[in-house]
Amino acid sequence: MSTVRFEGIARHFGPVRALLPTDLDIPQGEFLTLLGPSGSGKTTLLNICAGYLEPSAGRLIVDGRDVTAAPPRLRNMGMVFQNYALFPHMTVAENVAYGLKVRNVPRAELSRRVDEALRLVRLEGYGGRAIRQLSGGQQQRVALARAMVIEPAILLMDEPLGALDRQLRKEVQLEIRRLHLARPRTSIYVTHDQEEALVMSDRIAVMRGGRIVQIGSGADLYERPVDTFVARFLGESNLIEGRVEAIADGRARLAVPGLSAPIEGRAAAGLAVGAVASALIRPEAIRAAAGGIEAGVIERVYLGEIVALRLRLDGGHEVWSRRFAGEVPAGDRIAIGWDAGAVSILPPAEAV
Amino acid sequence: MSGRVWLYGFVALTAAYLVLPIMAVVPAAFSAQSFIKLPPDAWSLRWWTAFAADASWRRTLVTSLQVAGLTTVVAALAGTAAALGIDRCGPRLKLLFGALFLGPVVTPVIVIAVALYAMARAAGLVGTLTALVLAHTMLALPYVVLNVGVSLGGLDRRLLLAAAGLGAGPWRIFRTVTLPLIAPGVIGGAVFAFVTSFDEVVLSIFLSGPTVKTLPVRIWEEIRVEYTPLVAVAATIMLTLALLAALVSRLMTKRAAT
């Protein structure tokens, strides 16, 4: 378990700047997720941490030691690859034992630790199997066991659940979370899946265009996104564009063409009066309200305990509302409202 | 339906065309007569006994095996190393080296023979095992480089990263990950090398001497003097060894793949 510190770490591939100078501190035992679309620089950052990629600039400090130039094998990091990268010519146990053999762990201890690692990922008794004989989920867990058994200073995971189906992904997410809580270990997890990020992380760094746009807990990002990009990336969002009318005491008022009343909400940083901005209203904040804004129901989507409604406001704007099935009004027209406390006024995402 | 019959018939004819003339030497080797006639009027092992009793025939077989064995080792080692080196080059160097290593395959063998003969003479190596091994290695090396190159092309590079991340140094990664995974290519290349050397005749004619002579050269010399079933025996031995080599390669690659 270790602290990790990226100091001005950057990387370009020829003229392409994959990662702009980035500072990032990860305290001991934290599970940090790098969340972003492809090309956002998240995997680049991870590979630099693992030592698979040299940064063009900056320093990487692990436990106060500069490891920027250290080769991967001297970094003591456990990596779980996207498609697992298990050694196909070795059994499950041989795969897990690989890092221990490299470390010359005595035989008895080695087999004890391999067994324990397999037990931890619920693959007891699978040691003798060939990798081919395992399902995707099982292979994923072998990869996890192989990375963890060496007691790495840092555990790195590169979209490890990408190849699994949805149900399995959920299970393994909780499994990884459980393992982390049982034994907190500094971990960096790369994904483009917001749900994964929310389930597992202590903190999430949202990346875009080679830089970290926002970093914070899941709740921070969901409730107080810094711009429309983060708002869109985490959770469902209704964004209504307008112009900032006034900013005062951390709150802003947004004039929206077609709406009779301005929308008021928490002001994000970087707003300016007169500038274009968007109001973020999460679908779960939109509810029926007598005397509210009139809207027509265009679409009803049944999602089990939740029903989503697509609404067209009289001004022409469309929003989604998500309510428990019991709370959804019938009829083609409803009046809606929302808490001003649930609204954020956000600047547009910077062009990439 | 009749279309299918025609198809099978055509395949059978093609197969017969390819295989029958070669297989014809086998019955000839078991003839009881002192000349080659197909099929032989009577069967015997007398020519096999004659082959075994003749020290000069035996010596050429041993020489052939020695040359082919050494060629295989040298070509497999050097070819694997070369393939690994080429694999690390940039795309342009890769193309250049790829073409260079294919050189001996596309150059007419007689040209190589003339060139090598001149050099071997200058170095005083004509008629030595060294000359034969060096010359055969030249022909065999490209097959190893090609085969290993194909294996390397299919190698998942993240496995090497994974091994490095688990703490393995370059040599250990090579020994425990790279080599086992490219083994089919190395074995395939080695078998090719063995067969290439074992039935090579042009370079061998130029570079053999009175004491060091390979089996194909001896067959060639023998056939110009007299055409006895002894030659068929030698040919059958060569055929058997070549088939064996192919079988071994097949089995080994199959095992490596599972």
Side-chain angles (χ1 to χ4, degrees), chain B:
Chain B
M1 196 60 210
S2 75
R4 180 152 291 203
V5 170
W6 276 104
L7 183 67
Y8 286 152
F10 189 69
V11 170
L13 266 173
T14 311
Y17 170 73
L18 287 175
V19 176
L20 278 184
I22 299 170
M23 286 304 171
V25 301
V26 180
F30 293 92
S31 168
Q33 291 130 320
S34 45
F35 48 88
I36 290 184
K37 178 170 181 265
L38 278 174
D41 295 332
W43 303 89
S44 84
L45 287 175
R46 69 180 265 218
W47 295 106
W48 289 85
T49 327
F51 186 92
D54 187 327
S56 78
W57 275 107
R58 279 203 322 259
R59 202 169 53 237
T60 57
L61 176 59
V62 171
T63 302
S64 265
L65 288 172
Q66 278 176 332
V67 171
L70 285 169
T71 299
T72 303
V73 172
V74 176
L77 287 176
T80 303
L84 287 166
I86 293 171
D87 184 64
R88 292 198 171 189
C89 290
R92 299 179 79 162
L93 272 182
K94 221 177 223 177
L95 214 65
L96 176 70
F97 282 132
L100 265 174
F101 274 92
L102 230 61
V105 178
V106 294
T107 310
V109 183
I110 190 69
V111 174
I112 301 178
V114 170
L116 286 187
Y117 182 65
M119 292 181 68
R121 266 184 70 117
L125 284 175
V126 175
T128 63
L129 206 64
T130 315
L132 285 168
V133 171
L134 286 177
H136 286 185
T137 300
M138 237 181 104
L139 293 186
L141 201 63
Y143 295 110
V144 180
V145 175
L146 269 175
N147 267 288
V148 177
V150 169
S151 282
L152 278 170
L155 179 67
D156 182 354
R157 302 306 151 119
R158 284 168 322 149
L159 297 177
L160 311 181
L161 294 182
L166 290 166
W171 173 241
R172 183 189 279 268
I173 295 174
F174 177 71
R175 204 163 40 78
T176 58
V177 182
T178 313
L179 195 55
L181 291 174
I182 63 168
V186 177
I187 293 165
V191 170
F192 258 111
F194 184 89
V195 173
T196 301
S197 164
F198 197 66
D199 79 3
E200 205 293 320
V201 65
V202 179
L203 297 186
S204 304
I205 286 174
F206 279 70
L207 295 172
S208 287
T211 52
V212 179
K213 190 176 288 177
T214 64
L215 192 55
V217 174
R218 180 67 208 272
I219 292 175
W220 163 244
E221 287 177 0
E222 185 77 15
I223 224 165
R224 285 168 46 182
V225 182
E226 56 176 343
Y227 191 41
T228 66
L230 206 51
V231 172
V233 169
T236 305
I237 290 173
M238 291 196 64
L239 183 63
T240 311
L241 275 168
L243 286 176
L244 229 76
L247 194 72
V248 165
S249 127
R250 198 50 198 256
L251 287 177
M252 299 275 266
T253 37
K254 213 164 185 182
R255 216 183 48 208
T258 55

Side-chain angles (χ1 to χ4, degrees), chain A residues 316-341:
Chain A
H317 300 277
E318 278 187 10
V319 294
W320 282 94
S321 166
R322 291 162 71 95
R323 309 298 304 174
F324 284 113
E327 305 169 357
V328 178
D332 288 344
R333 286 196 69 76
I334 56 174
I336 58 160
W338 52 76
D339 295 328

Side-chain angles (χ1 to χ4, degrees), chain A residues 144-166:
Chain A
L144 204 58
R146 183 178 70 176
M148 290 196 307
V149 77
I150 60 171
E151 297 293 338
I154 305 161
L155 188 58
L156 306 172
M157 289 165 272
D158 186 8
E159 309 221 14
L161 310 185
L164 305 184
D165 65 51
R166 193 176 147 74

Side-chain angles (χ1 to χ4, degrees), chain A residues 52 73 77 85-86 89 98 102-103, chain B residues 159 161 164-168 176 180:
Chain A
Y52 296 146
R73 70 190 162 94
M77 297 187 188
L86 296 173
H89 57 298
Y98 192 87
V102 171
R103 286 165 177 72
Chain B
L159 297 177
L161 294 182
L166 290 166
T176 58

Side-chain angles (χ1 to χ4, degrees), chain A residues 92-121:
Chain A
V92 168
E94 285 167 347
N95 264 279
V96 177
Y98 192 87
L100 298 176
K101 272 198 189 134
V102 171
R103 286 165 177 72
N104 293 317
V105 172
R107 212 193 188 113
E109 190 194 335
L110 181 138
S111 83
R112 185 181 56 73
R113 283 171 68 179
V114 169
D115 287 348
E116 195 195 311
L118 287 176
R119 190 176 51 76
L120 220 57
V121 297

